[in-house]
Amino acid sequence: MLRKTPAESVNPYIGTVGHLLTATRPTAMLPHGTAQIHPHISPNANDYYFSEQITAFPLGAAVLQFAAADAVVFSDGTSHFDMSTVQSHPYSYRVFLEDSGIDVCGVPAMHSYLYRASGAKKLLLRIPNAEAIEVRGDALYFARTVSSPKSTHQRRAYTVLRLTPACPLPLHTDMQDDCLILDGISDPCTVSASVSYISFEKAEEIFARELAGKDAETLEAEAKAVWEDLLGRVKVEGGPDDFRTAYYTALYRSFIRMNQFGEYGQYYSGYDGEIHDGDDFYCNDQLWDSFRSMHPLQLLLEPDNHKKMLESYLAMYRQSGAMPSFPGMDGDSPCMIGFHAASLFADALAKGIDVDYETAFEGLYRSATQTTMLPWVADKPANELDRCYYEKGFFPALEIGEEEWVSDVHDFERRQCLAVTLEHAYDDWCIAQLANHLGKEDIYEQFSRRAQNYRNIYNTEIGFMAPKNAAGDWIAGYDPMCGGGQGGRAYFAECNAYTFNFSVWHDIDGLAELMGGKDGMCARLDALFTTPNPGKYGFLSQFPDSTGLMGMFCMGNEPSFHIPFLYNFAGRPWMTQRRLRTIIELWFTNSPLGICGDEDGGAMSSWLAFAALGLYPVCPGKAEYALTTPMFDRITLTLGENTFTVIADGAGNGLRYIQSAALNGKPFGRPFLTHHELTSGGTLVLTLGDRPNRDWGIPGQA
C-alpha cells in the first residue's frame, strides 16, 4: 500500500477534545486563508469529536445549512452524523447528514467557499442584520456589517453566491429571523460563494479568479496541491505512522495563521477604515503565543510569506500609530502581555530578512517608552507602574491583600508584575538589537541595560523570581507555587513561579549565574519536572492553563515551550534528549486528546513541528537553534534552493541519546545549529544509543 502524502496524512480531529480548556477545530482551508470550512456542532460546542449533530457550515459573513424539502425554519437543517464516516482534510471536509439524507462536501479557496450537496432540497442562509439582499442575473448578493459595534471602523462583508446547475433566480425565498430560505434548488447542487471586505465588484473579481468554471474535484485538487507543496518542505521518514500523522497535523496547523486578507491588488484595513493598494495584508495573530515558535517556523519554511507578514505589521503601525500585539481584522486587541512584535523584527534581522527596520524600531520604541505595559490594556499612556520599571528596573506588585489604586489595571488580569518584567526585559533586548543595527548607540546601551531587569526580581534566598513593591521590598508571604490568585495573575500570566523562573530567553548564561551556575540551573530544571503539585484538582482549578503537567512543568502552555531545551545551555544536553522524547510521546499523539493545551492559533502545534525535528529556536532574535534527538530516522528540509538532511538511524524506534554527530562529514560537537548552517544546506548525521553520552555536546569534549 502506498504511504500517504504529507497532506493526506493530516488528521484535523487531533486535539478536538480539550484536556481542560479549548479544543482544536477541524478546518479545511488554504495556508493562511480567510475562507475556512468546519462544522458548526451541537452539543459539546468546544469538543468537536464528541459532537453528535451538525447545525451549519460557515460561509464568510453567513452560515449555511442544507435542508430537506419539508424544512421551514433555520434549525430544520440540523442533523445527526456519524463521526466515523467523516472525511476531514486540510483541503476538504465531507460528511453525511443522517436526518436529512444529505451528502455534503466543502472545499475552500483563499477567499471563497464551495459546497457540493446531494439530496438537499433547500438552502438555509443565516445572515444576521443583512444590509442588502438582491439578485443580479444568476447570482445572489448580500452584505452585512461584521465588525463589532465598538470597533473604531465598521467593516462590511460582501458576498456573491451562485448555484450549479444554475437555478432560475430569484428562487422562492423567505426571510425568517435572519434566515433566508432558498427553495427549489437542483439536486445535486453546488453552492459557490466569494467574500470581499471591499465591495460586491471585488467579490465578483474574487469569484472569477478562484471559482469560475471549477467543480469540487478541481478546487479540491488545487487546494491539496498547495498543501502538498508547503508540508512537503519537511519530509520525514522512519517511525510509527501514527506519529507521522501527528507530526504533519502539527505542521498543517502551524500555517493557519496569520490570515491573508489581501484581495488581488487591494485590501481593507480596520486600522484606519480605508481601502489600500497592495496584494498582501496579513492579520489575525496572537503574538504572546506565536512569537516563540510559530513565527520562527514560518520564517524558516516560507521566508517570502513571513516577510509579507512583517510588512503587514508595519502597515498596521503606519495606519493606526501603534505597533499591534494581537492584530485582528478590526484592529489590535489588548490581550496578554509584552510588545512581542519586537521579537518578530529582531528574529528577522538576525536571520537576514530585509524589511524597513527604521519604521519597525520607531513603532517599537514608542511602545516601550510611552505605552503602558499593563496586561490586557489597550494602547494607553505609561503610568506610575511603567515609570517604576523604567527607573527601578521592575514592575511593582501590590502587598498581599492591598487594594488596587491604579485605574488602568484590568480587574481580572491584575498586574502580572513578574511576567511583565521578564517578558519586557526580553522585548527590550530585541529593541536593543534593532537599535544597534540602526546605529542608535545610546538607545542600544539603554535597552541593553533594561534587558537585564530580570535580575532585579530574582530572589537568591528562595531561588525564584519574586515580587517587589514600588519601594523595592520583597512582598511578604509570597508563595512561588500558588501565590497570585487565579492564574497567578497578581504576579504571572497563567502559570506560576516554577515556570516563569526560566522566562529569560536572551541571557541564559546570566540566569544560570543567578541560580548558582550551570549545576544550579540544572537542579532548578530537575526540580521543575519532579516537584509534585499540591493536588491536581486544586492546582488546576487555580491554574487551568497548566495542562500537560509533569511535576510543575506544564507542557500545555506557552511559557514552558523552551524550558526542556535549557539543559543544552547548562551542560547536560542528554537531559534535553531525555525530556523531549518523554514529553512528545506522552502529550502529542494521533488522537482527539493529542494536544495537551490550548492550540492558540497554531502555537502549540508549531512547538511540536519544531521539536520533533530535534530543533528549537530558544531565543527568537538569535540565529541559533537548540539541537537534540529528532523523532524520525531521516528528515529532509527544503529551505529555498537548498536542502538540509538529518540522519538519525533508530530515532523512529525510540533511541534518544546522541553518541556523536557529524556535519557535512566533519565531527560536530555543539548541541546547537546556526540558521546559516541550516539554510546553507548539508547533512547532519547523528549516531544514537540507548544510554546517554555525557561528553557529547559539552564544550571541550568530543
Side-chain angles (χ1 to χ4, degrees):
M1 184 175 67
L2 292 176
R3 198 170 204 186
K4 292 180 179 179
T5 66
E8 292 168 348
S9 298
V10 172
N11 174 11
Y13 273 88
I14 289 177
T16 51
V17 176
H19 281 246
L20 191 59
L21 297 177
T22 305
T24 60
R25 186 169 67 187
T27 302
M29 59 181 292
L30 291 183
H32 308 293
T34 59
Q36 301 183 10
I37 292 175
H38 52 81
H40 290 199
I41 59 171
S42 175
N44 299 306
N46 289 322
D47 288 331
Y48 281 79
Y49 191 78
F50 290 150
S51 61
E52 295 185 350
Q53 293 177 295
I54 288 178
T55 62
F57 300 91
L59 197 76
V63 176
L64 174 67
Q65 284 185 317
F66 299 93
D70 56 353
V72 293
V73 295
F74 185 70
S75 61
D76 287 350
T78 296
S79 175
H80 289 82
F81 71 105
D82 181 353
M83 177 62 69
S84 68
T85 65
V86 170
Q87 298 178 52
S88 180
H89 305 285
Y91 44 84
S92 65
Y93 185 91
R94 289 180 168 84
V95 65
F96 178 68
L97 305 179
E98 294 178 326
D99 296 347
S100 52
I102 300 171
D103 273 304
V104 178
C105 171
V107 186
M110 181 59 71
H111 307 285
S112 306
Y113 305 78
L114 185 151
Y115 291 98
R116 184 181 62 196
S118 298
K121 301 300 182 182
K122 293 183 179 182
L123 297 182
L124 310 178
L125 280 168
R126 172 79 76 181
I127 316 171
N129 303 313
E131 299 171 17
I133 300 178
E134 58 180 298
V135 173
R136 301 182 192 175
D138 65 345
L140 177 69
Y141 292 70
F142 57 88
R144 60 174 287 241
T145 297
V146 291
S147 54
S148 164
K150 296 181 180 179
S151 299
T152 303
H153 310 286
Q154 295 300 294
R155 176 168 55 102
R156 299 182 83 210
Y158 302 85
T159 303
V160 175
L161 181 150
R162 288 185 170 88
L163 304 176
T164 307
C167 298
L169 291 172
L171 299 170
H172 171 67
T173 61
D174 185 16
M175 198 75 180
Q176 299 180 10
D177 299 325
D178 293 329
C179 178
L180 179 64
I181 302 175
L182 280 67
D183 195 357
I185 64 173
S186 299
D187 180 23
C189 176
T190 297
V191 182
S192 303
S194 293
V195 181
S196 168
Y197 297 102
I198 296 174
S199 65
F200 282 128
E201 291 71 26
K202 181 60 75 170
E204 280 282 17
E205 179 186 347
I206 291 171
F207 195 103
R209 288 175 177 268
E210 296 183 357
L211 296 178
K214 297 177 183 178
D215 57 17
E217 289 77 14
T218 299
L219 197 64
E220 182 176 15
E222 290 179 354
K224 182 182 179 185
V226 173
W227 278 112
E228 296 289 13
D229 174 69
L230 181 54
L231 300 182
R233 296 176 194 180
V234 182
K235 182 181 179 182
V236 298
E237 302 173 73
D241 284 347
D242 266 355
F243 187 70
R244 186 174 184 271
T245 291
Y247 181 78
Y248 278 117
T249 303
L251 196 60
Y252 134 80
R253 286 210 174 100
S254 301
F255 295 99
I256 288 178
R257 301 278 187 97
M258 302 169 69
N259 302 118
Q260 219 293 59
F261 286 88
E263 299 181 14
Y264 303 106
Q266 292 180 299
Y267 67 87
Y268 167 83
S269 173
Y271 290 79
D272 60 3
E274 301 293 333
I275 296 170
H276 298 265
D277 292 333
D279 286 321
D280 302 294
F281 186 61
Y282 288 82
C283 275
N284 291 347
D285 198 4
Q286 302 173 200
L287 269 178
W288 189 80
D289 308 290
S290 62
F291 84 88
R292 305 164 197 267
S293 54
M294 192 180 87
H295 278 287
L297 181 69
Q298 293 177 358
L299 186 156
L300 183 65
L301 293 178
E302 48 168 17
D304 292 341
N305 268 357
H306 191 71
K307 179 178 178 178
K308 294 172 184 177
M309 295 177 197
L310 295 172
E311 290 171 342
S312 296
Y313 267 91
L314 295 177
M316 289 183 273
Y317 165 64
R318 294 187 187 104
Q319 293 159 11
S320 68
M323 186 67 77
S325 289
F326 265 60
M329 195 47 186
D330 297 309
D332 196 26
S333 297
C335 299
M336 302 305 295
I337 59 175
F339 301 137
H340 293 320
S343 176
L344 298 194
F345 286 99
D347 202 40
L349 175 64
K351 295 171 182 174
I353 304 294
D354 182 24
V355 295
D356 181 358
Y357 288 107
E358 187 70 54
T359 298
F361 173 82
E362 176 187 294
L364 294 165
Y365 184 75
R366 173 192 176 275
S367 296
T369 58
Q370 300 178 35
T371 304
T372 184
M373 296 182 282
L374 277 170
W376 294 78
V377 174
D379 187 49
K380 289 188 177 182
N383 55 46
E384 63 184 276
L385 306 181
D386 303 288
R387 288 189 289 274
C388 182
Y389 178 87
Y390 302 156
E391 296 166 7
K392 299 181 180 180
F394 61 90
F395 208 69
L398 293 170
E399 299 288 348
I400 294 175
E402 186 177 13
E403 290 290 328
E404 182 59 73
W405 69 84
V406 178
S407 60
D408 284 344
V409 175
H410 192 285
D411 288 343
F412 179 75
E413 296 295 340
R414 306 176 74 181
R415 294 188 181 187
Q416 300 181 21
C417 58
L418 296 178
V420 165
T421 300
L422 292 165
E423 297 201 12
H424 281 276
Y426 166 68
D427 289 340
D428 289 341
W429 177 85
C430 292
I431 293 171
Q433 309 317 299
L434 299 181
N436 188 48
H437 171 71
L438 296 169
K440 303 177 186 294
E441 289 304 313
D442 289 347
I443 295 175
Y444 167 71
E445 292 176 4
Q446 175 193 4
F447 276 74
S448 293
R449 290 192 296 271
R450 282 175 48 160
Q452 296 295 302
N453 282 347
Y454 73 90
R455 293 176 175 270
N456 298 324
I457 57 171
Y458 188 80
N459 188 332
T460 56
E461 292 187 5
I462 63 172
F464 285 100
M465 300 292 173
K468 290 179 175 178
N469 61 27
D473 301 321
W474 299 114
I475 298 298
Y478 165 64
D479 178 359
M481 182 179 288
C482 296
Q486 179 64 27
R489 286 177 172 84
Y491 312 127
F492 301 108
E494 303 178 349
C495 298
N496 64 10
Y498 281 81
T499 296
F500 273 94
N501 236 20
F502 300 98
S503 290
V504 181
W505 306 281
H506 58 289
D507 187 16
I508 296 169
D509 287 343
L511 178 63
E513 176 189 325
L514 291 179
M515 293 179 169
K518 292 183 177 180
D519 287 345
M521 172 175 274
C522 287
R524 298 303 311 167
L525 287 167
D526 290 343
L528 172 71
F529 282 95
T530 58
T531 297
N533 59 66
K536 286 187 180 180
Y537 175 81
F539 185 78
L540 287 174
S541 68
Q542 182 183 355
F543 294 98
D545 294 275
S546 293
T547 49
L549 278 174
M550 302 168 69
M552 281 283 101
F553 174 80
C554 55
M555 186 62 243
N557 207 10
E558 286 77 10
S560 298
F561 280 6
H562 69 294
I563 292 176
F565 300 92
L566 293 181
Y567 287 104
N568 275 24
F569 297 82
R572 297 185 189 175
W574 71 89
M575 285 300 297
T576 289
Q577 297 156 29
R578 176 179 297 177
R579 300 286 190 208
L580 256 294
R581 174 70 63 157
T582 301
I583 290 167
I584 291 174
E585 289 182 344
L586 178 62
W587 296 121
F588 295 91
T589 61
N590 179 18
S591 78
L593 282 164
I595 298 180
C596 61
D598 288 0
E599 175 65 341
D600 285 328
M604 192 67 57
S605 286
S606 68
W607 181 89
L608 179 64
F610 249 134
L613 301 180
L615 299 168
Y616 193 75
V618 171
C619 181
K622 294 184 179 181
E624 178 182 77
Y625 305 89
L627 174 64
T628 190
T629 310
M631 298 292 290
F632 303 99
D633 290 350
R634 188 181 185 97
I635 297 161
T636 305
L637 303 176
T638 300
L639 305 174
E641 299 298 319
N642 297 321
T643 299
F644 191 89
T645 302
V646 180
I647 300 172
D649 290 341
N653 288 328
L655 290 181
R656 64 180 65 186
Y657 295 113
I658 299 173
Q659 307 299 300
S660 62
L663 179 63
N664 298 327
K666 297 180 180 180
F668 188 76
R670 284 186 283 116
F672 302 97
L673 274 175
T674 68
H675 186 72
H676 178 73
E677 288 169 335
L678 201 56
T679 57
S680 295
T683 300
L684 175 68
V685 178
L686 303 175
T687 301
L688 305 181
D690 58 3
R691 294 288 184 270
N693 176 3
R694 302 191 179 203
D695 290 332
W696 184 84
I698 309 301
Q701 302 295 324

